[in-house]
Amino acid sequence: MNYAELLKRMPNELRRSLETELYGPWLNKGVSLAEVCTDPVVVKTIWGRMVDTERTVLRTLVLRIGSEPFDYARLEKATSPVLSGAETRLGLCGLLRKGIVFAFRKTWGEYLYLLPIDGFGLWRDLLLPEETSGCERPGDFVMPEVIRSARLSLRLELFQTLVFAAQHGLKLSKNGTVHKKLLQKLADQLGLNGELLNGASLKYAYADTYPLPVAVALDFLLRLQLLSQNEEELALQPEAIRNWLSASPEAQTKRLYLIWKQLTLSPQAWMQHAVSMAERLASGGEWFSAEMLIANLSAQGITEEHEQAEEQSQELQARWLLPLVAFGWMEEGRSPTGGSMAWFRWTEHPFQSGDAEASDEGGLMIQPDFEILAPPDVPGAVLWELCCLADTVRLDQVSIFKLTKSSVRRALENGRTQGEIVMFLESHALYGLPEHIRLAVEQWAKPFGKTSFMQACLLRCVDEETAQSLERLPGASQYLQDKLGSNHYLIAAEDVKPLAAVLEKAGMMPGVPSDWKGSETAAQASAYPKLGEHADNNRHDLREWTGDKGFIYARTSVAYYEMEARIPSAIDLYPEYSEIPAGWLRDYRSYHASTRKEMVEKAIRLKTVLQIRKDGCDYRITPHKVQETRGSWCMTGIGRTASTIDHIEEMRLMPEEWQEMKLILPGINDKYLY
């Protein structure tokens, strides 16, 4: 989950706290809370305001856990032995209070915590600014030869799927899946390489029916809300499609990439770091390998088991890099000199292009042989309409269409008129519409509509007297069309139910078949919707996370839990606080051996810290256990000097080996340590 989605779900109490107590100065400048939370300058400022425990917990999260939901036990294990349990708890509360980490309450009362996926990237950039220095290619590097790339990028594959849905429909069978014949046609049309997608290990609904490429394409369209599912079909959403097509190709690619990343990025922190590192590499010619990324992670101490480097490289390729090749965002190469190492480079980088709206300047090149060429700068809405009135020969960077009699008929059957078709071609033709093409379109369209079939229903009256009384019935005559004979009428399909209601009210009790559903209105009958060429002012923001109703099962369930609004205070972290003698927290002095033991045992229960003075030096120790020995006892724990948390060591002390002590409750009395 990212900040945009989290902020939409955030309880008002927590949102007000962030807006007034922390981010107010930036919000007063007219920017949104989502923009503030993802601003690198703000992030750097907040880092400067953190206390040591907050920084240590955050650093641990970024390096060891990433943006995967975690429980407190996992965090405590990751921060040990640098921090005690109480220090970790306090640091986590500080991050919750600053809106850096978010808490979710499970149904049984336990909590999961989450560092947003875009927050992970921001904090990683701050903590590991020099990471790409390890991504240097070897001195004998030879430019690889491309061995795998996608013919179409994902955004064009999805566009083609939308056109298919508009031309053929996506009707559902009784089991809720697209009808088998339609499904096969769609699968044949899609160019997504299912073999390259296999490594992502996707789990999805109807896996026994939908091929993986089809499931992936439909999942994207559902999450973008370009399709919606009802009982009968996967229905096009014209408003959302118009808004989507009004965005630039760069903005579309970025949105699609973020959806894919949100759904499928591995929970393993090392892979999240590797993905982030790959995102920093520039598009266009900069080849890199999975092995280079893993080696860099090892150099930074993020991965420690060098013997697993080969396995990690293979996993990174299969789970992440090869699916990006399938989507046309990367291509794969091999060295011409031989070797088994795979090389990759970006072809469509999701983060190195602006979000500018698509240009309206692109035009169509209409050829004398009825072929139409569409350069890459043609707006999406123009391509959409062109797919309605012309046959697609090839969809690519420069797409080719063919204007035919059957394609013009398809446009007419989908609600376009002869005049609209000619006007569309004339207004978007770069070099004008050839006269013979205009005449051909007019000739092909001229016979259309002179005869037509319509769906109707026959109303039969038992006798002529009943028919006459029906004609006199108030409210009924508007639904009676042609009279057939003396006692039969044609009724338009959409008028059957309204007329039945009038007859019921008059006490006639008409018999309407139980399975009658009527027919679509003329507007609904047009399967290929008109979009227009410009989005309205209410266009949805492509930067935001959209729907969660897709076929692919998300790897985490945190989205289904309720976000926690209340952040514990320091005293809330210590349920036994009222039972602790005030002197233990206030006085730094010697105690009787029995009292010392009590204090140690209390520290162990609270997972907190003792400060002791030993031979003139102050130490902070996190005790782990008390052992009875030879009529006395000893304390074992992790100790460090009171002035630093960097140098730590295991300590085993008898009670007489230190002179003074006091109990430290982080957040309560740790500010008076020295």
Side-chain angles (χ1 to χ4, degrees):
M1 299 176 75
N2 58 23
Y3 269 110
E5 185 184 16
L6 288 165
L7 291 173
K8 285 191 291 187
R9 302 182 57 205
M10 184 179 291
N12 291 332
E13 177 185 348
L14 180 57
R15 190 182 189 100
R16 282 194 300 269
S17 173
L18 292 178
E19 290 176 341
T20 57
E21 297 179 15
L22 188 64
Y23 296 114
W26 292 286
L27 293 173
N28 291 335
K29 298 178 182 178
V31 296
S32 68
L33 185 55
E35 291 171 321
V36 168
C37 291
T38 54
D39 186 327
V41 175
V42 175
V43 164
K44 191 172 183 179
T45 303
I46 297 301
W47 173 262
R49 296 177 181 177
M50 290 183 187
V51 298
D52 286 342
T53 52
E54 293 171 348
R55 290 179 180 172
T56 302
V57 170
L58 180 56
R59 183 182 293 274
T60 302
L61 280 177
V62 171
L63 296 182
R64 305 298 175 202
I65 296 178
S67 60
E68 179 72 7
F70 61 93
D71 57 18
Y72 175 73
R74 182 181 177 188
L75 177 63
E76 184 180 49
K77 182 179 179 180
T79 55
S80 175
V82 178
L83 295 179
S84 68
E87 289 171 317
T88 298
R89 209 159 32 236
L90 182 68
L92 176 61
C93 286
L95 299 182
L96 292 168
R97 192 166 288 108
K98 290 177 171 62
I100 296 170
V101 175
F102 297 85
F104 295 85
R105 186 170 57 253
K106 292 184 178 181
T107 52
W108 50 91
E110 296 181 356
Y111 288 91
L112 280 178
Y113 303 93
L114 180 72
L115 175 67
I117 193 168
D118 43 359
F120 167 79
L122 285 167
W123 291 110
R124 188 176 190 283
D125 289 346
L126 181 67
L127 297 175
L128 300 170
E130 303 297 330
E131 62 174 11
T132 55
S133 60
C135 289
E136 298 175 358
R137 294 176 296 209
D140 58 350
F141 175 77
V142 178
M143 191 66 69
E145 295 177 348
V146 175
I147 63 167
R148 277 198 285 205
S149 61
R151 189 182 71 82
L152 292 182
S153 68
L154 178 61
R155 60 184 178 81
L156 290 177
E157 292 281 9
L158 297 183
F159 176 84
Q160 195 168 237
T161 305
L162 286 173
V163 171
F164 179 92
Q167 293 180 348
H168 304 285
L170 293 173
K171 296 292 183 182
L172 301 179
S173 60
K174 291 182 179 180
N175 63 4
T177 60
V178 176
H179 280 287
K180 190 174 182 179
K181 288 185 179 180
L182 283 173
L183 190 60
Q184 186 58 53
K185 286 183 179 179
L186 178 57
D188 291 342
Q189 175 182 282
L190 277 172
L192 291 176
N193 188 329
E195 180 185 347
L196 298 181
L197 295 173
N198 281 334
S201 301
L202 300 177
K203 307 294 183 184
Y204 59 94
Y206 309 117
D208 57 341
T209 302
Y210 289 146
L212 180 55
V214 172
V216 169
L218 294 180
D219 182 88
F220 273 110
L221 295 177
L222 286 167
R223 292 185 188 279
L224 290 167
Q225 300 174 17
L226 306 179
L227 291 177
S228 67
Q229 183 168 349
N230 55 44
E231 293 182 357
E232 298 181 356
E233 65 177 338
L234 296 176
L236 293 167
Q237 301 300 300
E239 185 73 15
I241 294 172
R242 179 169 71 240
N243 292 333
W244 173 252
L245 295 180
S246 73
S248 67
E250 294 81 8
Q252 291 179 357
T253 295
K254 181 178 179 180
R255 188 73 218 104
L256 294 170
Y257 179 84
L258 291 175
I259 291 176
W260 180 253
K261 186 175 180 179
Q262 184 87 355
L263 277 174
T264 64
L265 185 59
S266 169
Q268 297 168 293
W270 69 264
M271 186 171 288
Q272 295 180 33
H273 283 278
V275 169
S276 181
M277 197 179 304
E279 290 171 353
R280 285 191 173 192
L281 298 173
S283 179
E286 187 171 353
W287 290 95
F288 66 93
S289 67
E291 288 81 357
M292 288 167 53
L293 299 179
I294 299 302
N296 199 25
L297 295 180
S298 178
Q300 293 177 339
I302 295 173
T303 58
E304 299 176 357
E305 300 181 23
H306 300 284
E307 64 274 12
Q308 292 187 358
E310 183 177 351
E311 295 177 10
Q312 290 174 335
S313 298
Q314 292 174 354
E315 185 177 357
L316 178 59
Q317 287 185 49
R319 288 185 63 94
W320 190 253
L321 298 177
L322 290 178
L324 300 194
V325 173
F327 293 151
W329 298 334
M330 283 187 179
E331 55 189 8
E332 181 186 2
R334 287 287 194 280
S335 173
T337 60
S340 60
M341 181 178 292
W343 295 88
F344 300 87
R345 66 178 175 184
W346 290 100
T347 53
E348 285 191 24
H349 200 296
F351 300 133
Q352 291 183 359
S353 300
D355 284 347
E357 293 299 306
S359 171
D360 290 334
E361 296 178 359
L364 306 174
M365 291 179 280
I366 303 178
Q367 307 297 305
D369 62 354
F370 290 82
E371 275 197 347
I372 301 175
L373 306 182
D377 57 350
V378 171
V382 175
L383 279 183
W384 174 265
E385 194 65 16
L386 190 57
C387 288
C388 179
L389 58 91
D391 294 329
T392 303
V393 177
R394 186 180 71 192
L395 198 63
D396 209 330
Q397 288 298 310
V398 176
S399 299
I400 302 175
F401 301 85
K402 186 80 171 183
L403 198 62
T404 65
K405 183 177 181 179
S406 62
S407 70
V408 169
R409 176 173 182 166
R410 181 177 65 235
L412 295 169
E413 290 173 343
N414 280 280
R416 279 64 169 176
T417 66
Q418 168 195 308
E420 288 174 338
I421 295 173
V422 172
M423 183 180 298
F424 172 84
L425 294 172
E426 288 178 338
S427 61
H428 294 290
L430 271 177
Y431 308 112
L433 177 65
E435 181 64 15
H436 70 284
I437 294 181
R438 183 183 63 79
L439 292 174
V441 170
E442 291 175 351
Q443 183 179 359
W444 291 338
K446 188 175 181 180
F448 185 82
K450 290 188 175 181
T451 58
S452 61
F453 289 95
M454 62 172 291
Q455 185 179 10
C457 186
L458 182 68
L459 176 65
R460 184 180 68 83
C461 299
V462 68
D463 51 36
E464 188 173 354
E465 181 182 353
T466 302
Q468 292 174 352
S469 64
L470 180 62
E471 292 175 357
R472 296 191 298 269
L473 185 65
S477 60
Q478 60 180 315
Y479 301 117
L480 304 177
Q481 295 186 351
D482 298 328
K483 188 173 184 180
L484 306 178
S486 60
N487 57 343
H488 296 79
Y489 297 90
L490 279 182
I491 308 298
E494 62 269 20
D495 291 339
V496 171
K497 288 188 177 180
L499 177 58
V502 173
L503 299 180
E504 286 280 0
K505 189 174 181 180
M508 291 190 175
M509 299 179 64
V512 180
S514 60
D515 59 349
W516 178 263
K517 295 182 180 180
S519 77
E520 299 170 318
T521 64
Q524 293 171 326
S526 177
Y528 201 114
K530 295 181 181 179
L531 302 181
E533 297 173 24
H534 303 282
D536 59 26
N537 293 329
N538 295 320
R539 183 178 63 85
H540 63 266
D541 191 343
L542 295 184
R543 295 174 302 176
E544 294 186 0
W545 178 252
T546 47
D548 58 2
K549 295 181 179 179
F551 291 142
I552 298 174
Y553 301 133
R555 58 180 176 78
T556 66
S557 59
V558 68
Y560 302 105
Y561 299 135
E562 183 180 355
M563 187 183 292
E564 179 60 56
R566 182 179 175 274
I567 299 171
S569 65
I571 290 181
D572 292 334
L573 301 179
Y574 308 103
E576 300 179 30
Y577 178 74
S578 60
E579 304 170 8
I580 300 173
W584 290 9
L585 304 175
R586 185 181 61 248
D587 299 330
Y588 191 50
R589 62 184 179 84
S590 177
Y591 291 92
H592 187 272
S594 61
T595 305
R596 292 186 178 201
K597 186 177 181 182
E598 273 189 79
M599 294 174 71
V600 171
E601 290 172 339
K602 179 69 74 174
I604 292 172
R605 269 200 311 277
L606 297 178
K607 296 184 177 181
T608 190
V609 180
L610 292 169
Q611 185 170 351
I612 65 173
R613 180 162 294 161
K614 179 179 181 297
D615 301 328
C617 292
D618 288 342
Y619 294 87
R620 299 180 71 183
I621 185 167
T622 305
H624 291 161
K625 60 183 177 180
V626 172
Q627 292 178 299
E628 303 292 336
T629 174
R630 299 179 187 177
S632 183
W633 56 273
C634 69
M635 166 181 66
T636 302
I638 300 297
R640 55 190 179 266
T641 59
S643 59
T644 179
I645 62 172
D646 294 329
H647 179 68
I648 58 175
E649 59 181 329
E650 186 170 348
M651 303 181 72
R652 186 173 184 272
L653 299 172
M654 303 294 289
E656 63 272 13
E657 290 186 85
W658 71 87
Q659 290 75 51
E660 296 177 305
M661 66 183 298
K662 74 173 178 178
L663 182 66
I664 302 299
L665 300 184
I668 303 294
N669 66 333
D670 53 341
K671 65 181 66 176
Y672 306 113
L673 284 178
Y674 314 119

